[in-house]
Amino acid sequence: MNAIDNGEIIEQYPKDFPFPSCLILGLSIKNVYIHIVVSMHDEKIYLITAYVPSTDKWESDLKTRKGGNK
């Protein structure tokens, strides 16, 4: 929840089904950078997935994908 509340939206997926979603970069309560994919509908937030981003797939800023977008 800390990462969602205080994180930054780094990608948006307006065509996702059943609801548009977004990718958030935030800090866990243990100060580890994590990515969280969430969607929102009727004032509810749906957590789709959360993971620690790898620098194999992400630039050092953890905001930019290596080799393109989703």
Side-chain angles (χ1 to χ4, degrees):
M1 292 305 300
N2 182 65
I4 293 171
D5 288 342
N6 300 302
E8 174 185 353
I9 295 174
I10 59 172
E11 291 183 359
Q12 293 191 23
Y13 314 122
K15 295 181 182 179
D16 276 0
F17 181 83
F19 311 115
S21 64
C22 65
L23 176 63
I24 298 171
L25 171 64
L27 280 172
S28 72
I29 57 173
K30 294 184 179 182
N31 287 323
V32 174
Y33 280 102
I34 58 174
H35 281 175
I36 309 102
V37 179
V38 298
S39 65
M40 190 171 147
H41 182 70
D42 289 339
E43 298 184 27
K44 293 180 184 176
I45 295 175
Y46 297 92
L47 173 66
I48 297 167
T49 191
Y51 59 91
V52 176
S54 165
T55 53
D56 291 344
K57 295 182 180 183
W58 294 89
E59 298 292 345
S60 61
D61 64 2
L62 302 176
K63 297 178 185 181
T64 309
R65 288 183 191 265
K66 290 183 177 179
N69 289 335
K70 179 181 172 188

